[in-house]
């Protein structure tokens, strides 16, 4: 059974930073791509970032590239999302998800979602 627990969300002013964490109870955590998605009110869930099993490769949506950084600690079974230069349009519930095996970053390979953590950026 896969359990993902996000934390680190909150209220921050535009230009500020937050670091999200996702603790995973996946026995083979270091075999999977991990990713972050977000869903703003009235919008569909969208991809934010992903990282391969070893952390050697990452991918970002164009909207966050250069501002957000995804990383992982396989020993702690945790994935992080460092968010800098936050904008009001980054306001959303952020979800952690398990992706495909090893380096498979295909979007349809993501599943096993966490409960989400709210990020609110004020202008």
């Amino acid at each position: 059974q896969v359990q993902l627990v996000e934390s680190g969300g909150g209220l921050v002013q535009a230009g500020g930073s937050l670091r999200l964490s996702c603790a995973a109870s996946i026995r083979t955590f270091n075999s999977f791509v991990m990713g972050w998605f977000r869903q703003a009110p009235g919008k569909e869930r969208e991809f934010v970032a992903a990282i391969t099993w070893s952390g050697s490769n990452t991918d970002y949506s164009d909207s966050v590239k250069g501002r957000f950084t995804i990383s992982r600690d396989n020993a702690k079974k945790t994935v992080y999302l460092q968010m800098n230069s936050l904008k009001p349009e980054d306001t959303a519930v952020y979800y952690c998800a398990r992706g495909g095996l090893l380096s498979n970053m295909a979007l349809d390979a993501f599943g096993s979602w966490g409960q989400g953590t709210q990020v609110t950026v004020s202008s």
Side-chain angles (χ1 to χ4, degrees), residues 25-104:
S25 63
I26 306 172
R27 189 161 53 90
T28 54
F29 176 82
N30 60 0
S31 296
F32 290 93
V33 167
M34 296 297 296
W36 288 95
F37 291 73
R38 67 186 182 186
Q39 187 167 19
K43 295 187 177 181
E44 294 192 353
R45 186 162 52 194
E46 65 173 357
F47 169 77
V48 174
I51 187 167
T52 55
W53 69 280
S54 65
S56 59
N57 288 316
T58 57
D59 190 24
Y60 299 91
S61 68
D62 288 343
S63 61
V64 307
K65 200 170 294 182
R67 300 187 297 121
F68 291 11
T69 302
I70 188 171
S71 61
R72 66 190 295 162
D73 185 333
N74 285 341
K76 295 182 178 179
K77 297 187 176 182
T78 301
V79 61
Y80 304 98
L81 186 68
Q82 177 66 44
M83 305 186 296
N84 298 330
S85 302
L86 282 161
K87 304 175 181 180
E89 52 263 44
D90 294 318
T91 295
V93 177
Y94 283 72
Y95 298 90
C96 173
R98 187 191 72 178
L101 278 172
L102 301 180
S103 299
N104 178 12

